[in-house]
Amino acid sequence: MSMLMVVTENVPPRLRGRLAIWLLEVRAGVYIGDVSRRIREMIWEQVNALAEEGNVVMAWATNTESGFEFQTYGTNRRVPVDHDGLRLVSFLPFEKQ
């Protein structure tokens, strides 16, 4: 079991309801819980199936240098990048209108 956090933006209510089954919604769109790897993977499958045009980041505690790992779904200005084995976040520039 490890601590898991999921942050959602602009996702359909049915995904938010599914997340609330396994995790506690501590703020609008912010979910936390202590789940197994199997449940974490099942939650990510639900995100991929139901997030539609929204975006999601899921982070969990691991035995790595940083102490956590994360993955993202959907379009966001924050993009994960690998820098010599360390996961960092890069910011995309604002789109001109």
Side-chain angles (χ1 to χ4, degrees), residues 21-92:
I21 291 171
W22 300 286
L23 306 168
L24 178 64
E25 188 173 15
V26 294
R27 291 281 189 269
V30 179
Y31 302 85
I32 61 171
D34 193 27
V35 299
S36 68
R37 178 180 178 174
R38 187 175 72 80
I39 297 297
R40 183 182 78 230
E41 290 171 351
M42 187 270 311
I43 289 171
W44 192 247
E45 288 174 7
Q46 295 293 306
V47 166
N48 281 283
L50 300 174
E52 296 179 2
E53 299 298 316
N55 67 76
V56 178
V57 62
M58 182 167 74
W60 61 95
T62 61
N63 191 14
T64 61
E65 194 72 25
S66 64
F68 65 91
E69 183 61 67
F70 68 96
Q71 58 191 30
T72 62
Y73 174 90
T75 304
N76 191 293
R77 282 192 61 228
R78 293 170 178 88
V79 179
V81 294
D82 182 69
H83 183 71
D84 293 332
L86 182 62
R87 297 277 311 259
L88 301 173
V89 176
S90 176
F91 287 83
L92 297 176

